[in-house]
Amino acid sequence: MKILFYLPALLSAILLTLSYLPFSFGALIYVALVPVLWSLGRCRTAKESATLMGVCGAVFFAATLFWFTKVFGVFAVSLYFLLALVWSVFGYFYFVLKQKSKLWLVPVLWTGLEFFRSEVWYFDFPWMTLGLSHHSDFSFSALQSASLWGIYGTGCIIFIINQCLQESLSNGAARKRIVCAMSALLLACALVPAVSRYERACAAKINSGPSIKVLLVQSEDYTLDELERLTTQSKFSGGLILWPEYQVPILPGERLRAEIFRRMSDIAKNANS
């Protein structure tokens, strides 16, 4: 029975994973949370609800942020659990709101926790928010609407659509029609302004400036030596070299910082960049 209890959470984790890179099935994000939300509605205690969401989050983050293991080694496991902890908090308060018949506050709770872990929390974990799923060709037009209500507003709309679909599966025929209509309206609110803006952008004549060459170097090995090796190996010359900031260590002491900057300067000069 315990295995069956966690199946909806695992299904949601799989659907969520498929919504992001490298799979990029963006359409799935609008139904990905339905299984776990359906299961949350049947939890009998706050502990069950928190555990269910924690399992869903742990599987999802481990699957999508697998590259953490390359950067942090075995400590990546603790980061997966930290991220899953935020989802457990959501599960706990979902049960509280359900008991108080205030499920209309659930999207606010979800969006608030996404904002907290991305912008407020000490660890600053902005990865894999719902709005970030809008990167594929399917969801490109919806991505444009983020300029109206931001990445968290986009994620909130996605969550509301999932919640409406879940409610339509759990209630009577009359309520189904209402909830489905709300889902369609929210989807239209997300897409219509965006499509219009995208079409205007495509119609406009854009005068491009002079082109420059760009070399983007990234490695899952957390060392400056590896970045230097890959940059030199590319034989790139005469352009802009981009390195990820997390791989450039900021070490204490003026001498160490000066040494890092000297190496970076030498690489740029040798590449005429």
Side-chain angles (χ1 to χ4, degrees):
M1 285 298 293
K2 282 292 183 182
I3 296 178
L4 293 177
F5 174 72
Y6 290 115
L7 277 181
L10 296 176
L11 177 58
S12 279
I14 293 171
L15 292 174
L16 284 165
T17 301
L18 293 175
S19 301
Y20 294 84
L21 290 169
F23 307 103
S24 300
F25 296 117
L28 293 178
I29 198 67
Y30 292 101
V31 298
L33 289 171
V34 172
V36 73
L37 290 175
W38 178 87
S39 191
L40 283 176
R42 283 149 183 77
C43 289
R44 293 168 295 181
T45 65
K47 182 179 178 181
E48 278 188 356
S49 187
T51 303
L52 188 73
M53 281 304 299
V55 169
C56 182
V59 175
F60 167 60
F61 288 118
T64 52
L65 300 176
F66 57 89
W67 53 271
F68 270 21
T69 58
K70 297 289 186 179
V71 178
F72 303 108
V74 295
F75 294 105
V77 176
S78 62
L79 296 179
Y80 296 146
F81 279 107
L82 273 176
L83 286 162
L85 177 63
V86 178
W87 283 32
S88 289
V89 171
F90 168 80
Y92 177 88
F93 284 104
Y94 182 98
F95 182 84
V96 172
L97 292 174
K98 182 181 68 172
Q99 294 297 101
K100 296 179 180 293
S101 299
K102 293 184 178 180
L103 288 179
W104 59 274
L105 285 173
V106 170
V108 179
L109 171 64
W110 177 273
T111 306
L113 286 173
E114 281 200 338
F115 180 84
F116 171 78
R117 73 172 172 89
S118 302
E119 309 289 348
V120 180
W121 203 13
Y122 172 79
F123 296 101
D124 289 338
F125 283 145
W127 299 288
M128 317 319 290
T129 60
L130 290 183
L132 293 179
S133 64
H134 281 55
H135 63 271
S136 64
D137 291 338
F138 168 83
S139 52
F140 179 76
S141 60
L143 174 65
Q144 306 308 303
S145 67
S147 62
L148 301 177
W149 36 69
I151 193 69
Y152 302 109
T154 301
C156 186
I157 290 172
I158 293 171
F159 186 91
I160 291 173
I161 293 172
N162 275 270
Q163 187 180 14
C164 288
L165 291 174
Q166 180 268 322
E167 288 289 336
S168 71
L169 295 174
S170 305
N171 296 282
R175 192 168 180 181
K176 281 185 181 181
R177 289 193 293 270
I178 296 173
V179 171
C180 288
M182 288 176 59
S183 298
L185 178 61
L186 284 166
L187 187 57
C189 288
L191 295 180
V192 172
V195 171
S196 176
R197 180 170 180 166
Y198 176 63
E199 289 175 347
R200 289 198 304 270
C202 290
K205 292 182 179 180
I206 301 175
N207 297 319
S208 60
S211 61
I212 61 171
K213 294 191 297 181
V214 178
L215 175 68
L216 175 60
V217 184
Q218 183 169 356
S219 168
E220 294 178 348
D221 185 4
Y222 191 68
T223 64
L224 191 63
D225 292 336
E226 181 65 9
L227 287 177
E228 184 175 359
R229 184 187 71 80
L230 292 172
T231 303
T232 304
Q233 182 180 306
S234 71
K235 302 188 186 313
F236 179 79
S237 177
L240 178 65
I241 301 174
L242 296 178
W243 285 0
E245 63 174 334
Y246 71 84
Q247 284 188 274
V248 180
I250 304 300
L251 301 174
E254 291 295 330
R255 184 183 63 80
L256 291 173
R257 285 198 293 268
E259 174 64 17
I260 291 173
F261 291 141
R262 183 193 64 77
R263 288 178 62 183
M264 294 172 64
S265 179
D266 289 344
I267 293 169
K269 287 179 181 178
N270 293 335
N272 191 28
S273 300

